[in-house]
mmCIF file of all heavy atoms in Angstrom:
data_model
loop_
_atom_site.group_PDB
_atom_site.id
_atom_site.type_symbol
_atom_site.label_atom_id
_atom_site.label_comp_id
_atom_site.label_asym_id
_atom_site.label_seq_id
_atom_site.Cartn_x
_atom_site.Cartn_y
_atom_site.Cartn_z
ATOM 1 N N MET C 1 130.130 50.971 200.698
ATOM 2 C CA MET C 1 129.733 51.938 199.677
ATOM 3 C C MET C 1 130.424 53.269 199.931
ATOM 4 O O MET C 1 130.410 53.799 201.039
ATOM 5 C CB MET C 1 128.213 52.117 199.725
ATOM 6 C CG MET C 1 127.669 52.832 198.488
ATOM 7 S SD MET C 1 125.863 52.737 198.475
ATOM 8 C CE MET C 1 125.495 54.247 197.585
ATOM 9 N N LYS C 2 131.030 53.777 198.898
ATOM 10 C CA LYS C 2 131.760 55.030 199.042
ATOM 11 C C LYS C 2 130.819 56.225 199.102
ATOM 12 O O LYS C 2 129.796 56.248 198.435
ATOM 13 C CB LYS C 2 132.724 55.232 197.860
ATOM 14 C CG LYS C 2 134.141 54.789 198.186
ATOM 15 C CD LYS C 2 135.078 55.245 197.097
ATOM 16 C CE LYS C 2 136.519 54.912 197.472
ATOM 17 N NZ LYS C 2 137.453 55.306 196.411
ATOM 18 N N GLU C 3 131.205 57.189 199.898
ATOM 19 C CA GLU C 3 130.410 58.405 200.003
ATOM 20 C C GLU C 3 130.591 59.248 198.740
ATOM 21 O O GLU C 3 131.702 59.515 198.322
ATOM 22 C CB GLU C 3 130.847 59.203 201.229
ATOM 23 C CG GLU C 3 129.980 60.422 201.472
ATOM 24 C CD GLU C 3 130.515 61.270 202.628
ATOM 25 O OE1 GLU C 3 131.365 60.774 203.383
ATOM 26 O OE2 GLU C 3 130.079 62.407 202.762
ATOM 27 N N ILE C 4 129.489 59.634 198.144
ATOM 28 C CA ILE C 4 129.565 60.485 196.954
ATOM 29 C C ILE C 4 129.302 61.930 197.361
ATOM 30 O O ILE C 4 128.230 62.248 197.858
ATOM 31 C CB ILE C 4 128.509 60.059 195.906
ATOM 32 C CG1 ILE C 4 128.643 58.571 195.594
ATOM 33 C CG2 ILE C 4 128.651 60.901 194.642
ATOM 34 C CD1 ILE C 4 129.906 58.174 194.895
ATOM 35 N N PRO C 5 130.268 62.784 197.184
ATOM 36 C CA PRO C 5 130.058 64.188 197.557
ATOM 37 C C PRO C 5 129.011 64.847 196.680
ATOM 38 O O PRO C 5 128.939 64.595 195.489
ATOM 39 C CB PRO C 5 131.434 64.828 197.339
ATOM 40 C CG PRO C 5 132.148 63.934 196.385
ATOM 41 C CD PRO C 5 131.588 62.548 196.606
ATOM 42 N N GLU C 6 128.209 65.699 197.275
ATOM 43 C CA GLU C 6 127.162 66.370 196.515
ATOM 44 C C GLU C 6 127.398 67.864 196.445
ATOM 45 O O GLU C 6 126.564 68.612 195.976
ATOM 46 C CB GLU C 6 125.790 66.091 197.153
ATOM 47 C CG GLU C 6 125.392 64.645 197.022
ATOM 48 C CD GLU C 6 123.990 64.399 197.545
ATOM 49 O OE1 GLU C 6 123.419 65.311 198.150
ATOM 50 O OE2 GLU C 6 123.490 63.288 197.340
ATOM 51 N N LYS C 7 128.534 68.277 196.931
ATOM 52 C CA LYS C 7 128.851 69.706 196.871
ATOM 53 C C LYS C 7 130.078 69.924 196.008
ATOM 54 O O LYS C 7 131.035 69.147 196.060
ATOM 55 C CB LYS C 7 129.143 70.237 198.286
ATOM 56 C CG LYS C 7 127.903 70.529 199.083
ATOM 57 C CD LYS C 7 128.296 71.153 200.410
ATOM 58 C CE LYS C 7 127.076 71.525 201.227
ATOM 59 N NZ LYS C 7 127.449 72.093 202.524
ATOM 60 N N CYS C 8 130.055 70.999 195.250
ATOM 61 C CA CYS C 8 131.202 71.381 194.448
ATOM 62 C C CYS C 8 132.369 71.720 195.378
ATOM 63 O O CYS C 8 132.198 72.489 196.324
ATOM 64 C CB CYS C 8 130.835 72.582 193.581
ATOM 65 S SG CYS C 8 132.223 73.314 192.732
ATOM 66 N N VAL C 9 133.531 71.141 195.112
ATOM 67 C CA VAL C 9 134.662 71.383 196.001
ATOM 68 C C VAL C 9 135.226 72.787 195.811
ATOM 69 O O VAL C 9 135.960 73.282 196.649
ATOM 70 C CB VAL C 9 135.793 70.359 195.790
ATOM 71 C CG1 VAL C 9 135.330 68.965 196.161
ATOM 72 C CG2 VAL C 9 136.306 70.393 194.358
ATOM 73 N N SER C 10 134.904 73.408 194.693
ATOM 74 C CA SER C 10 135.460 74.734 194.414
ATOM 75 C C SER C 10 134.621 75.852 195.020
ATOM 76 O O SER C 10 135.134 76.749 195.667
ATOM 77 C CB SER C 10 135.599 74.947 192.905
ATOM 78 O OG SER C 10 136.549 74.055 192.363
ATOM 79 N N CYS C 11 133.297 75.812 194.806
ATOM 80 C CA CYS C 11 132.454 76.910 195.272
ATOM 81 C C CYS C 11 131.471 76.481 196.342
ATOM 82 O O CYS C 11 130.826 77.315 196.962
ATOM 83 C CB CYS C 11 131.715 77.548 194.094
ATOM 84 S SG CYS C 11 130.474 76.493 193.347
ATOM 85 N N GLY C 12 131.311 75.176 196.559
ATOM 86 C CA GLY C 12 130.487 74.698 197.651
ATOM 87 C C GLY C 12 129.009 74.596 197.328
ATOM 88 O O GLY C 12 128.207 74.264 198.196
ATOM 89 N N ILE C 13 128.636 74.855 196.069
ATOM 90 C CA ILE C 13 127.230 74.793 195.699
ATOM 91 C C ILE C 13 126.749 73.344 195.730
ATOM 92 O O ILE C 13 127.519 72.420 195.471
ATOM 93 C CB ILE C 13 127.014 75.404 194.298
ATOM 94 C CG1 ILE C 13 125.531 75.671 194.044
ATOM 95 C CG2 ILE C 13 127.563 74.484 193.216
ATOM 96 C CD1 ILE C 13 125.289 76.394 192.715
ATOM 97 N N LYS C 14 125.484 73.164 196.105
ATOM 98 C CA LYS C 14 124.924 71.818 196.072
ATOM 99 C C LYS C 14 124.700 71.399 194.627
ATOM 100 O O LYS C 14 124.150 72.161 193.832
ATOM 101 C CB LYS C 14 123.597 71.783 196.829
ATOM 102 C CG LYS C 14 123.774 71.663 198.324
ATOM 103 C CD LYS C 14 122.432 71.395 198.992
ATOM 104 C CE LYS C 14 122.596 71.271 200.502
ATOM 105 N NZ LYS C 14 121.291 71.048 201.159
ATOM 106 N N LEU C 15 125.121 70.189 194.321
ATOM 107 C CA LEU C 15 125.026 69.739 192.940
ATOM 108 C C LEU C 15 123.666 69.150 192.618
ATOM 109 O O LEU C 15 123.364 68.887 191.465
ATOM 110 C CB LEU C 15 126.108 68.698 192.656
ATOM 111 C CG LEU C 15 127.537 69.241 192.713
ATOM 112 C CD1 LEU C 15 128.530 68.136 192.413
ATOM 113 C CD2 LEU C 15 127.723 70.377 191.729
ATOM 114 N N THR C 16 122.836 68.941 193.636
ATOM 115 C CA THR C 16 121.516 68.381 193.388
ATOM 116 C C THR C 16 120.701 69.317 192.498
ATOM 117 O O THR C 16 120.458 70.458 192.849
ATOM 118 C CB THR C 16 120.763 68.163 194.704
ATOM 119 O OG1 THR C 16 121.614 67.467 195.607
ATOM 120 C CG2 THR C 16 119.502 67.360 194.475
ATOM 121 N N GLY C 17 120.331 68.840 191.328
ATOM 122 C CA GLY C 17 119.524 69.638 190.425
ATOM 123 C C GLY C 17 120.339 70.610 189.593
ATOM 124 O O GLY C 17 119.841 71.188 188.642
ATOM 125 N N VAL C 18 121.599 70.790 189.931
ATOM 126 C CA VAL C 18 122.436 71.738 189.199
ATOM 127 C C VAL C 18 123.249 71.013 188.129
ATOM 128 O O VAL C 18 123.570 71.557 187.091
ATOM 129 C CB VAL C 18 123.405 72.465 190.164
ATOM 130 C CG1 VAL C 18 124.307 73.426 189.406
ATOM 131 C CG2 VAL C 18 122.615 73.223 191.211
ATOM 132 N N GLY C 19 123.549 69.775 188.423
ATOM 133 C CA GLY C 19 124.423 69.029 187.533
ATOM 134 C C GLY C 19 125.859 69.232 187.940
ATOM 135 O O GLY C 19 126.166 69.971 188.868
ATOM 136 N N GLY C 20 126.724 68.576 187.245
ATOM 137 C CA GLY C 20 128.131 68.674 187.603
ATOM 138 C C GLY C 20 128.842 67.393 187.282
ATOM 139 O O GLY C 20 128.255 66.468 186.727
ATOM 140 N N VAL C 21 130.093 67.357 187.633
ATOM 141 C CA VAL C 21 130.883 66.166 187.327
ATOM 142 C C VAL C 21 131.491 65.607 188.601
ATOM 143 O O VAL C 21 131.793 66.337 189.535
ATOM 144 C CB VAL C 21 131.995 66.482 186.311
ATOM 145 C CG1 VAL C 21 131.396 66.807 184.956
ATOM 146 C CG2 VAL C 21 132.867 67.622 186.787
ATOM 147 N N ARG C 22 131.634 64.298 188.615
ATOM 148 C CA ARG C 22 132.333 63.635 189.710
ATOM 149 C C ARG C 22 133.453 62.823 189.107
ATOM 150 O O ARG C 22 133.251 62.112 188.134
ATOM 151 C CB ARG C 22 131.379 62.738 190.499
ATOM 152 C CG ARG C 22 130.340 63.532 191.267
ATOM 153 C CD ARG C 22 129.302 62.591 191.869
ATOM 154 N NE ARG C 22 128.288 63.320 192.625
ATOM 155 C CZ ARG C 22 127.236 63.911 192.074
ATOM 156 N NH1 ARG C 22 127.047 63.831 190.780
ATOM 157 N NH2 ARG C 22 126.373 64.555 192.823
ATOM 158 N N PHE C 23 134.604 62.952 189.679
ATOM 159 C CA PHE C 23 135.745 62.225 189.131
ATOM 160 C C PHE C 23 136.669 61.835 190.273
ATOM 161 O O PHE C 23 136.696 62.485 191.311
ATOM 162 C CB PHE C 23 136.496 63.101 188.117
ATOM 163 C CG PHE C 23 136.973 64.407 188.686
ATOM 164 C CD1 PHE C 23 138.276 64.538 189.153
ATOM 165 C CD2 PHE C 23 136.126 65.506 188.772
ATOM 166 C CE1 PHE C 23 138.713 65.743 189.673
ATOM 167 C CE2 PHE C 23 136.562 66.716 189.295
ATOM 168 C CZ PHE C 23 137.870 66.832 189.740
ATOM 169 N N PRO C 24 137.418 60.772 190.091
ATOM 170 C CA PRO C 24 138.325 60.341 191.141
ATOM 171 C C PRO C 24 139.574 61.216 191.201
ATOM 172 O O PRO C 24 140.088 61.635 190.167
ATOM 173 C CB PRO C 24 138.672 58.897 190.756
ATOM 174 C CG PRO C 24 138.447 58.837 189.284
ATOM 175 C CD PRO C 24 137.368 59.835 188.964
ATOM 176 N N CYS C 25 140.032 61.473 192.397
ATOM 177 C CA CYS C 25 141.272 62.215 192.590
ATOM 178 C C CYS C 25 142.410 61.477 191.891
ATOM 179 O O CYS C 25 142.564 60.268 192.071
ATOM 180 C CB CYS C 25 141.553 62.334 194.085
ATOM 181 S SG CYS C 25 143.199 62.934 194.469
ATOM 182 N N PRO C 26 143.192 62.186 191.078
ATOM 183 C CA PRO C 26 144.293 61.541 190.368
ATOM 184 C C PRO C 26 145.332 60.959 191.315
ATOM 185 O O PRO C 26 146.098 60.076 190.943
ATOM 186 C CB PRO C 26 144.915 62.685 189.547
ATOM 187 C CG PRO C 26 143.868 63.740 189.484
ATOM 188 C CD PRO C 26 143.068 63.612 190.754
ATOM 189 N N SER C 27 145.349 61.477 192.526
ATOM 190 C CA SER C 27 146.363 61.052 193.471
ATOM 191 C C SER C 27 145.915 59.877 194.339
ATOM 192 O O SER C 27 146.609 58.880 194.459
ATOM 193 C CB SER C 27 146.770 62.230 194.356
ATOM 194 O OG SER C 27 147.736 61.830 195.290
ATOM 195 N N CYS C 28 144.708 59.998 194.942
ATOM 196 C CA CYS C 28 144.299 58.969 195.898
ATOM 197 C C CYS C 28 143.000 58.260 195.510
ATOM 198 O O CYS C 28 142.632 57.288 196.139
ATOM 199 C CB CYS C 28 144.156 59.585 197.295
ATOM 200 S SG CYS C 28 142.721 60.650 197.472
ATOM 201 N N GLY C 29 142.298 58.761 194.490
ATOM 202 C CA GLY C 29 141.105 58.063 194.031
ATOM 203 C C GLY C 29 139.820 58.465 194.719
ATOM 204 O O GLY C 29 138.757 57.965 194.374
ATOM 205 N N THR C 30 139.895 59.363 195.702
ATOM 206 C CA THR C 30 138.683 59.858 196.343
ATOM 207 C C THR C 30 137.830 60.615 195.323
ATOM 208 O O THR C 30 138.363 61.342 194.495
ATOM 209 C CB THR C 30 139.051 60.805 197.507
ATOM 210 O OG1 THR C 30 139.768 60.071 198.490
ATOM 211 C CG2 THR C 30 137.794 61.409 198.138
ATOM 212 N N ILE C 31 136.516 60.397 195.405
ATOM 213 C CA ILE C 31 135.642 61.064 194.445
ATOM 214 C C ILE C 31 135.554 62.558 194.750
ATOM 215 O O ILE C 31 135.276 62.957 195.876
ATOM 216 C CB ILE C 31 134.225 60.441 194.466
ATOM 217 C CG1 ILE C 31 134.313 58.950 194.109
ATOM 218 C CG2 ILE C 31 133.300 61.170 193.496
ATOM 219 C CD1 ILE C 31 134.845 58.675 192.723
ATOM 220 N N ILE C 32 135.785 63.349 193.729
ATOM 221 C CA ILE C 32 135.714 64.803 193.852
ATOM 222 C C ILE C 32 134.562 65.280 192.976
ATOM 223 O O ILE C 32 134.387 64.801 191.859
ATOM 224 C CB ILE C 32 137.037 65.447 193.386
ATOM 225 C CG1 ILE C 32 138.190 65.034 194.302
ATOM 226 C CG2 ILE C 32 136.906 66.973 193.347
ATOM 227 C CD1 ILE C 32 139.555 65.423 193.765
ATOM 228 N N ALA C 33 133.773 66.212 193.480
ATOM 229 C CA ALA C 33 132.638 66.730 192.718
ATOM 230 C C ALA C 33 132.860 68.199 192.377
ATOM 231 O O ALA C 33 133.380 68.966 193.175
ATOM 232 C CB ALA C 33 131.355 66.575 193.533
ATOM 233 N N ARG C 34 132.457 68.541 191.202
ATOM 234 C CA ARG C 34 132.563 69.934 190.785
ATOM 235 C C ARG C 34 131.356 70.311 189.946
ATOM 236 O O ARG C 34 130.882 69.506 189.144
ATOM 237 C CB ARG C 34 133.846 70.133 189.965
ATOM 238 C CG ARG C 34 134.581 71.377 190.350
ATOM 239 C CD ARG C 34 136.023 71.409 189.988
ATOM 240 N NE ARG C 34 136.374 70.840 188.715
ATOM 241 C CZ ARG C 34 137.265 71.380 187.889
ATOM 242 N NH1 ARG C 34 137.848 72.494 188.214
ATOM 243 N NH2 ARG C 34 137.597 70.794 186.778
ATOM 244 N N CYS C 35 130.875 71.533 190.102
ATOM 245 C CA CYS C 35 129.719 71.954 189.332
ATOM 246 C C CYS C 35 130.143 72.320 187.914
ATOM 247 O O CYS C 35 131.324 72.546 187.649
ATOM 248 C CB CYS C 35 129.015 73.139 190.010
ATOM 249 S SG CYS C 35 129.946 74.681 189.982
ATOM 250 N N ASN C 36 129.171 72.399 187.019
ATOM 251 C CA ASN C 36 129.484 72.683 185.623
ATOM 252 C C ASN C 36 130.135 74.051 185.450
ATOM 253 O O ASN C 36 130.996 74.233 184.602
ATOM 254 C CB ASN C 36 128.204 72.603 184.782
ATOM 255 C CG ASN C 36 127.716 71.178 184.628
ATOM 256 O OD1 ASN C 36 128.522 70.256 184.589
ATOM 257 N ND2 ASN C 36 126.416 70.984 184.552
ATOM 258 N N LYS C 37 129.699 74.994 186.266
ATOM 259 C CA LYS C 37 130.247 76.349 186.170
ATOM 260 C C LYS C 37 131.744 76.342 186.477
ATOM 261 O O LYS C 37 132.551 76.893 185.729
ATOM 262 C CB LYS C 37 129.513 77.238 187.171
ATOM 263 C CG LYS C 37 129.671 78.712 186.907
ATOM 264 C CD LYS C 37 128.769 79.467 187.874
ATOM 265 C CE LYS C 37 129.116 80.949 187.876
ATOM 266 N NZ LYS C 37 128.345 81.658 188.905
ATOM 267 N N CYS C 38 132.101 75.709 187.566
ATOM 268 C CA CYS C 38 133.511 75.668 187.946
ATOM 269 C C CYS C 38 134.313 74.851 186.941
ATOM 270 O O CYS C 38 135.480 75.128 186.689
ATOM 271 C CB CYS C 38 133.667 75.084 189.346
ATOM 272 S SG CYS C 38 133.091 76.191 190.638
ATOM 273 N N LYS C 39 133.685 73.851 186.365
ATOM 274 C CA LYS C 39 134.372 73.064 185.363
ATOM 275 C C LYS C 39 134.678 73.918 184.133
ATOM 276 O O LYS C 39 135.779 73.904 183.596
ATOM 277 C CB LYS C 39 133.507 71.868 184.958
ATOM 278 C CG LYS C 39 134.259 70.867 184.103
ATOM 279 C CD LYS C 39 133.283 69.892 183.455
ATOM 280 C CE LYS C 39 134.011 69.034 182.425
ATOM 281 N NZ LYS C 39 133.071 68.381 181.507
ATOM 282 N N GLN C 40 133.689 74.700 183.715
ATOM 283 C CA GLN C 40 133.881 75.553 182.541
ATOM 284 C C GLN C 40 134.928 76.624 182.806
ATOM 285 O O GLN C 40 135.697 77.001 181.931
ATOM 286 C CB GLN C 40 132.553 76.215 182.161
ATOM 287 C CG GLN C 40 131.615 75.261 181.437
ATOM 288 C CD GLN C 40 130.219 75.842 181.260
ATOM 289 O OE1 GLN C 40 129.978 77.007 181.542
ATOM 290 N NE2 GLN C 40 129.297 75.022 180.794
ATOM 291 N N GLN C 41 134.952 77.124 184.039
ATOM 292 C CA GLN C 41 135.901 78.181 184.374
ATOM 293 C C GLN C 41 137.246 77.625 184.785
ATOM 294 O O GLN C 41 138.172 78.363 185.082
ATOM 295 C CB GLN C 41 135.333 79.041 185.510
ATOM 296 C CG GLN C 41 134.067 79.789 185.093
ATOM 297 C CD GLN C 41 133.489 80.600 186.244
ATOM 298 O OE1 GLN C 41 133.873 80.416 187.388
ATOM 299 N NE2 GLN C 41 132.556 81.482 185.938
ATOM 300 N N SER C 42 137.330 76.301 184.809
ATOM 301 C CA SER C 42 138.575 75.633 185.193
ATOM 302 C C SER C 42 139.058 76.089 186.572
ATOM 303 O O SER C 42 140.247 76.294 186.789
ATOM 304 C CB SER C 42 139.671 75.874 184.144
ATOM 305 O OG SER C 42 139.325 75.234 182.939
ATOM 306 N N ASN C 43 138.090 76.263 187.480
ATOM 307 C CA ASN C 43 138.473 76.592 188.849
ATOM 308 C C ASN C 43 139.271 75.453 189.458
ATOM 309 O O ASN C 43 139.058 74.292 189.126
ATOM 310 C CB ASN C 43 137.220 76.841 189.696
ATOM 311 C CG ASN C 43 136.579 78.171 189.351
ATOM 312 O OD1 ASN C 43 137.128 78.940 188.570
ATOM 313 N ND2 ASN C 43 135.418 78.436 189.918
ATOM 314 N N THR C 44 140.147 75.808 190.340
ATOM 315 C CA THR C 44 140.971 74.775 190.945
ATOM 316 C C THR C 44 140.162 73.954 191.944
ATOM 317 O O THR C 44 139.188 74.431 192.517
ATOM 318 C CB THR C 44 142.166 75.386 191.692
ATOM 319 O OG1 THR C 44 141.691 76.327 192.631
ATOM 320 C CG2 THR C 44 143.111 76.056 190.718
ATOM 321 N N TYR C 45 140.553 72.732 192.139
ATOM 322 C CA TYR C 45 139.925 71.879 193.136
ATOM 323 C C TYR C 45 141.008 71.366 194.072
ATOM 324 O O TYR C 45 142.189 71.320 193.712
ATOM 325 C CB TYR C 45 139.196 70.706 192.487
ATOM 326 C CG TYR C 45 140.106 69.771 191.696
ATOM 327 C CD1 TYR C 45 140.775 68.736 192.332
ATOM 328 C CD2 TYR C 45 140.282 69.952 190.339
ATOM 329 C CE1 TYR C 45 141.604 67.891 191.626
ATOM 330 C CE2 TYR C 45 141.116 69.112 189.623
ATOM 331 C CZ TYR C 45 141.777 68.080 190.263
ATOM 332 O OH TYR C 45 142.612 67.253 189.569
ATOM 333 N N THR C 46 140.587 71.009 195.250
ATOM 334 C CA THR C 46 141.524 70.419 196.203
ATOM 335 C C THR C 46 140.893 69.178 196.807
ATOM 336 O O THR C 46 139.767 69.218 197.284
ATOM 337 C CB THR C 46 141.861 71.412 197.326
ATOM 338 O OG1 THR C 46 142.367 72.605 196.744
ATOM 339 C CG2 THR C 46 142.907 70.815 198.255
ATOM 340 N N CYS C 47 141.609 68.081 196.756
ATOM 341 C CA CYS C 47 141.108 66.840 197.320
ATOM 342 C C CYS C 47 141.078 66.944 198.841
ATOM 343 O O CYS C 47 142.047 67.358 199.458
ATOM 344 C CB CYS C 47 142.006 65.679 196.886
ATOM 345 S SG CYS C 47 141.568 64.126 197.667
ATOM 346 N N LYS C 48 139.938 66.577 199.423
ATOM 347 C CA LYS C 48 139.794 66.682 200.861
ATOM 348 C C LYS C 48 140.623 65.629 201.598
ATOM 349 O O LYS C 48 140.983 65.786 202.737
ATOM 350 C CB LYS C 48 138.322 66.527 201.260
ATOM 351 C CG LYS C 48 137.536 67.824 201.088
ATOM 352 C CD LYS C 48 136.111 67.658 201.579
ATOM 353 C CE LYS C 48 135.142 67.440 200.445
ATOM 354 N NZ LYS C 48 133.777 67.214 200.871
ATOM 355 N N SER C 49 140.908 64.548 200.900
ATOM 356 C CA SER C 49 141.605 63.448 201.557
ATOM 357 C C SER C 49 143.117 63.625 201.554
ATOM 358 O O SER C 49 143.777 63.435 202.574
ATOM 359 C CB SER C 49 141.252 62.132 200.874
ATOM 360 O OG SER C 49 139.885 61.852 201.064
ATOM 361 N N CYS C 50 143.683 64.016 200.401
ATOM 362 C CA CYS C 50 145.139 64.050 200.309
ATOM 363 C C CYS C 50 145.689 65.444 200.031
ATOM 364 O O CYS C 50 146.891 65.657 200.058
ATOM 365 C CB CYS C 50 145.628 63.068 199.234
ATOM 366 S SG CYS C 50 145.239 63.586 197.558
ATOM 367 N N GLY C 51 144.787 66.392 199.741
ATOM 368 C CA GLY C 51 145.251 67.766 199.530
ATOM 369 C C GLY C 51 145.717 68.037 198.116
ATOM 370 O O GLY C 51 146.183 69.128 197.815
ATOM 371 N N PHE C 52 145.569 67.055 197.238
ATOM 372 C CA PHE C 52 145.967 67.248 195.850
ATOM 373 C C PHE C 52 145.089 68.306 195.199
ATOM 374 O O PHE C 52 143.881 68.315 195.364
ATOM 375 C CB PHE C 52 145.841 65.908 195.114
ATOM 376 C CG PHE C 52 146.251 65.994 193.652
ATOM 377 C CD1 PHE C 52 147.567 65.770 193.279
ATOM 378 C CD2 PHE C 52 145.309 66.302 192.666
ATOM 379 C CE1 PHE C 52 147.942 65.849 191.940
ATOM 380 C CE2 PHE C 52 145.686 66.378 191.338
ATOM 381 C CZ PHE C 52 147.010 66.152 190.970
ATOM 382 N N GLY C 53 145.709 69.220 194.469
ATOM 383 C CA GLY C 53 144.947 70.274 193.813
ATOM 384 C C GLY C 53 145.250 70.310 192.336
ATOM 385 O O GLY C 53 146.321 69.868 191.902
ATOM 386 N N GLY C 54 144.313 70.834 191.556
ATOM 387 C CA GLY C 54 144.519 70.935 190.121
ATOM 388 C C GLY C 54 143.466 71.802 189.469
ATOM 389 O O GLY C 54 142.496 72.191 190.121
ATOM 390 N N PRO C 55 143.642 72.085 188.224
ATOM 391 C CA PRO C 55 142.692 72.913 187.479
ATOM 392 C C PRO C 55 141.465 72.143 187.050
ATOM 393 O O PRO C 55 141.534 70.909 186.980
ATOM 394 C CB PRO C 55 143.481 73.349 186.248
ATOM 395 C CG PRO C 55 144.488 72.268 186.046
ATOM 396 C CD PRO C 55 144.804 71.726 187.423
HETATM 397 ZN ZN1 ZN J 1 131.403 75.156 191.713
HETATM 398 ZN ZN1 ZN J 2 143.231 62.798 196.806
#
């Protein structure tokens, strides 16, 4: 079973109760989590596994 991150990769907020999105890294497929706020602001994210970053 894959580990599902519960913290926003951009701001580090806990997603429990806050909501947010989880999506696979376009490069390596690792699940990346981001809160709704960072999603709306299009904050950049960085994959912890491969270092891939994007808006
Ligand atoms: Zn965030
Ligand atoms: Zn990756």
Side-chain angles (χ1 to χ4, degrees):
M1 194 170 151
K2 263 190 175 178
E3 185 185 346
I4 306 293
E6 293 185 351
K7 280 185 177 178
C8 171
V9 296
S10 295
C11 68
I13 194 175
K14 279 190 180 178
L15 294 180
T16 311
V18 178
V21 292
R22 292 172 180 82
F23 57 96
C25 169
S27 179
C28 72
T30 297
I31 300 298
I32 296 170
R34 224 159 39 139
C35 69
N36 289 328
K37 197 174 167 186
C38 289
K39 190 194 171 197
Q40 283 171 8
Q41 295 178 346
S42 293
N43 287 354
T44 55
Y45 62 86
T46 304
C47 174
K48 279 184 259 177
S49 294
C50 70
F52 181 90

